[in-house]
Amino acid sequence: MSAAEACAALGISTATLYAYVSRGLLKSRPGADHRSRVYLRQDVERLTQRKRAGRGAARGAAQSLDRGLPVMETRISLIRPDSPYYRGRSAVAMVRSGATLEDTARLLWDCGDADPFDAATGDWPARVAAIAGDATLPPIERAMAAIPLLAPDLRHSLSAAPAAKRGVAATLLRQNAALLVAGTPDARPVHVLLADAWRPGDAAFADLVRAALVLCADHELNVSAFAARVVASTGAHLHATVCAGLAALSGPRHGGATARAHALIREACDAPSPAAFVAERWQRGDDLPGFHHVLYPDGDPRAAEVLAMLRARHAGDARMQQVEAVLTSAAETSGRHPNIDGMLAAICFVHGLPATPALCMFAAGRLAGWLAHALEQQELGMLIRPRAHYTGVAPAD
């Protein structure tokens, strides 16, 4: 739709239209003459429906389901333009100080002076060993298949004692990481376990993985965290909540975005001109996966931190120069900056890895946040059970 058509449909001025775009409520593309802009009809229609819904509780509830109004309180994380904050501490600052995923988990789980990672992690039970070591299975599916089978052997899996639950969470964090790479859990930091599976002995790469895990650890009430909280609210054990998070993460609009971002980088770099490839894609209305985040209209600070680390370590590398060409083209064509999905994909591309490790880093890190939300929800003791507004066929009298 043209700007005039969008304004007429919404009953707003051009200035308000531009404000909607800057807030991420509308997407725009270059027009046919390259000077005008056109707007996605589905975005305009969605906003029109919101306006028709009127004001009040019902409208607020409906809008809250798509990054709208807050629906619950949490002490776990806060999203600000410069960084996500974990219980008041900047995730970006934690990366710069050398924090590991384990350090981040202790903070997110509010462990105080206790260390739930003190306990040793044993071998896989017999019923799990075959699944856990099957490298032919996709990582997320392998973890979702094995994790439920670990719960029956855990005596404290349904314990209400906070220390016991945090011990279970620590074991799960290590087990999940091992499952994602078809390995065996051990006492090594998670970033070392993952990095050694993909690039053994590469300390610089391992440090990038460490940073990625910390930055991915939590992001407020995202789709997978909400799924985990809903399951946790029923009193289910932590293994079930983790599986709910993994299931949500597997979708192409959540964790699966890393694979699409990797494909974009690879295809752009294989093209004769990355700039022309990106410009043509944007002009025909295709998305640029791995770029832009509605909650960070001025750029994703998590991605900026990873990009700075990549530049510091690989400035002269041919693959890094290719990534820089894609980033420049995307910025010049669309004005969009990379998000964390795009930078996880860039880590893999620069190091000659396929897309799979990007999703594994996301899943290994975000599990710490799912467990934090599960622990918080169960301490509240409230069941999450929203109501639906029925819009179907009315019952016959």
Side-chain angles (χ1 to χ4, degrees), residues 83 174 260 265:
S83 175
R174 287 172 167 166
R260 296 190 295 120
I265 295 172

Side-chain angles (χ1 to χ4, degrees), residues 341-364:
D341 300 316
M343 283 299 98
L344 293 177
I347 290 174
C348 293
F349 181 82
V350 168
H351 291 91
L353 297 171
T356 301
L359 178 57
C360 291
M361 285 186 276
F362 200 144

Side-chain angles (χ1 to χ4, degrees), residues 28-354:
S28 68
R29 297 284 188 273
D33 60 3
H34 299 287
R35 292 189 300 273
S36 61
R37 306 290 292 181
V38 292
Y39 302 84
L40 289 181
R41 186 175 301 274
Q42 63 185 17
D43 288 350
V44 175
E45 291 175 348
R46 186 183 70 251
L47 286 174
T48 302
Q49 289 173 354
R50 286 184 180 181
K51 290 171 71 71
R52 288 173 182 167
R55 302 185 183 277
R59 182 188 180 201
Q63 290 184 348
S64 69
L65 295 178
D66 186 12
R67 287 170 287 211
L69 301 173
V71 297
M72 62 176 58
E73 296 180 351
T74 180
R75 296 186 177 187
I76 298 170
S77 64
L78 169 69
I79 295 174
R80 300 184 72 173
D82 61 315
S83 175
Y85 282 75
Y86 303 152
R87 295 192 184 273
R89 291 187 60 187
S90 163
V92 170
M94 290 179 67
V95 166
R96 294 174 182 175
S97 69
T100 65
L101 180 61
E102 288 80 357
D103 296 328
T104 308
R106 293 183 192 98
L107 176 63
L108 290 172
W109 302 344
D110 198 20
C111 292
D113 295 331
D115 187 2
F117 293 97
D118 277 345
T121 303
D123 294 332
W124 295 122
R127 70 171 72 92
V128 174
I131 298 172
D134 189 348
T136 64
L137 292 172
I140 299 295
E141 285 75 6
R142 182 169 52 241
M144 285 196 294
I147 286 174
L149 300 177
L150 296 169
D153 293 329
L154 213 55
R155 187 163 53 89
H156 298 300
S157 62
L158 290 173
S159 172
K165 283 190 174 183
R166 284 159 176 76
V168 171
T171 300
L172 261 174
L173 192 78
R174 287 172 167 166
Q175 290 175 330
N176 177 67
L179 286 167
L180 290 171
V181 293
T184 302
D186 55 44
R188 288 178 295 169
V190 167
H191 71 275
V192 175
L193 184 151
L194 296 177
D196 282 351
W198 300 322
R199 289 180 63 88
D202 189 337
F205 173 72
D207 196 48
L208 278 167
V209 175
R210 176 193 63 81
L213 296 178
V214 172
L215 294 168
C216 287
D218 195 59
H219 207 232
E220 196 214 65
L221 205 59
N222 56 82
V223 175
S224 53
F226 185 68
R229 283 193 83 121
V230 170
V231 173
S233 76
T234 69
H237 53 67
L238 296 181
H239 295 66
T241 68
V242 162
C243 287
L246 288 167
L249 189 69
S250 67
R253 296 179 64 184
H254 194 8
T258 55
R260 296 190 295 120
H262 190 277
L264 172 66
I265 295 172
R266 186 185 68 249
E267 291 167 9
C269 293
D270 288 343
S273 168
F277 176 87
V278 172
E280 179 182 355
R281 182 185 180 101
W282 183 254
Q283 180 63 39
R284 66 173 179 253
D286 290 349
D287 283 338
L288 297 180
F291 289 84
H292 184 61
H293 196 296
V294 68
L295 299 181
Y296 299 110
D298 297 323
D300 187 339
R302 303 168 299 172
E305 185 65 18
V306 172
L307 179 57
M309 294 178 71
L310 276 171
R311 284 171 170 165
R313 291 162 172 75
H314 300 281
D317 294 1
R319 281 181 169 265
M320 187 63 206
Q321 291 175 351
Q322 289 179 305
V323 169
E324 294 282 14
V326 175
L327 298 180
T328 300
S329 302
E332 292 176 348
T333 300
S334 67
R336 295 191 162 189
H337 305 288
N339 58 32
I340 190 62
D341 300 316
M343 283 299 98
L344 293 177
I347 290 174
C348 293
F349 181 82
V350 168
H351 291 91
L353 297 171

